[in-house]
Amino acid sequence: MNTSTSITREKILATAEQLIYQNGIQATGMDLLVKTSGVARKSIYRYFATKDEVAAAALNARDVRWMNWFRAESDQAPDARARILNMFTVLKRWFESEGFRGCAFINTAGEVGDPQDPIRLIAKLHKQKLLAYTLELCEQLDIADPDPLANQLLILMEGAITVARVMGDYSSADNAQAVARLILEKHLAAEA
C-alpha cells in the first residue's frame, strides 16, 4: 500500500470511528461518512465493500488503540495491586475527558442483535482482551486462583463505565475502585 492509499484509508477509518462513537452504527451511513471525511464514495468502496466492513475495521482500530492506551496508563503504577486499582483511576480520567460517550463496544453491541454478527464479535473480543489484561495483573498477585478475581474486576469496570455513561456519574469509577480494594484485600488475606 502506498503512502497516499494508506493516508486515505486511515482518514476513512478515523472518521468512521468518530462518527460511530458519536452517533452509533445505525446513524452512521455512507452519505455522512462521505460528507464528513471528504473522501468520495467511490474511493471508500475501493477500500471497503460495505458499510459494515468500514465499521468493523474502525472498531478493530479503536480496540487496539484503546487497549494500548488503557494498559500504558494503568501500568504506570508500581506493582500489580496498585495497577489494578489504577485501572479505575484511568477509567475516571477517561469519563471526564471531552467527548466521553461510554464504551464504543458496549454501545455498538447494543445496536446489533445477532451474537454472531462481526460487530458483536469485535465487541466480545475487546472485552476478552480487557479481561486477559486484568487476569495478567491478578496472576502477578501470586494468589491461588486469580480467575474469579479478574472476572469480578471486569464486572466492576464495566459497571462503572455503564453508570458513567447512562447516569453521568463519573464517581462510579471511585465507587468501583473502593469495591475493588475490598475484593483485593479479601483475596490477599485468604492467601496469608
Side-chain angles (χ1 to χ4, degrees), residues 78-120:
D79 58 44
R81 183 181 184 281
R83 286 182 186 118
I84 288 169
L85 294 174
N86 193 36
M87 290 191 299
F88 297 94
T89 302
V90 172
L91 286 177
K92 186 171 185 182
R93 283 198 312 263
W94 176 45
F95 299 166
E96 293 172 340
S97 68
E98 186 177 332
F100 171 73
R101 298 187 58 81
C103 173
F105 303 94
I106 293 172
N107 297 346
T108 55
E111 286 190 74
V112 179
D114 179 5
Q116 295 306 311
D117 184 283
I119 298 299
R120 283 281 293 274

Side-chain angles (χ1 to χ4, degrees), residues 1 22 37-38 52 56 61 79 88 116 146 154 156 160 165 180-181 188:
M1 209 180 299
Q22 184 176 347
S37 70
D52 289 346
D79 58 44
F88 297 94
Q116 295 306 311
L154 179 67
L156 287 174
R165 173 64 176 136
R181 188 173 278 112
L188 292 170

Side-chain angles (χ1 to χ4, degrees), residues 5-177:
T5 301
S6 180
I7 290 170
T8 302
R9 186 177 190 282
E10 292 308 311
K11 184 176 186 178
I12 295 165
L13 290 177
T15 304
E17 180 187 334
Q18 175 192 9
L19 292 171
I20 289 167
Y21 189 59
Q22 184 176 347
N23 305 315
I25 289 177
Q26 302 306 321
T28 302
M30 291 303 275
D31 290 338
L32 183 59
L33 182 57
V34 167
K35 180 180 177 185
T36 308
S37 70
V39 176
R41 182 183 306 269
K42 192 174 185 177
S43 294
I44 292 172
Y45 283 119
R46 188 175 307 133
Y47 300 101
F48 305 99
T50 65
K51 176 185 130 177
D52 289 346
E53 278 188 23
V54 177
L59 288 169
N60 277 319
R62 183 177 187 87
D63 166 56
V64 169
R65 190 176 57 260
W66 193 93
M67 285 303 303
N68 287 341
W69 165 80
F70 185 72
R71 186 179 190 111
E73 292 296 311
S74 298
D75 283 350
Q76 290 183 20
D79 58 44
R81 183 181 184 281
R83 286 182 186 118
I84 288 169
L85 294 174
N86 193 36
M87 290 191 299
F88 297 94
T89 302
V90 172
L91 286 177
K92 186 171 185 182
R93 283 198 312 263
W94 176 45
F95 299 166
E96 293 172 340
S97 68
E98 186 177 332
F100 171 73
R101 298 187 58 81
C103 173
F105 303 94
I106 293 172
N107 297 346
T108 55
E111 286 190 74
V112 179
D114 179 5
Q116 295 306 311
D117 184 283
I119 298 299
R120 283 281 293 274
L121 294 175
I122 292 167
K124 182 178 180 179
L125 179 62
H126 174 75
K127 298 306 176 184
Q128 288 170 332
K129 288 179 182 179
L130 184 55
L131 177 59
Y133 170 61
T134 306
L135 178 59
E136 178 184 317
L137 293 177
C138 292
E139 288 169 341
Q140 294 171 19
L141 295 172
D142 198 28
I143 58 177
D145 191 5
D147 290 303
L149 176 58
N151 281 293
Q152 292 163 2
L153 293 168
L154 179 67
I155 290 169
L156 287 174
M157 286 186 280
E158 294 305 316
I161 293 167
T162 301
V163 169
R165 173 64 176 136
V166 174
M167 299 181 71
D169 180 3
Y170 300 162
S171 69
S172 62
D174 299 325
N175 294 328
Q177 185 182 59

Side-chain angles (χ1 to χ4, degrees), residues 172-186:
S172 62
D174 299 325
N175 294 328
Q177 185 182 59
V179 175
R181 188 173 278 112
L182 293 172
I183 293 171
L184 277 167
E185 289 171 10
K186 177 184 168 242

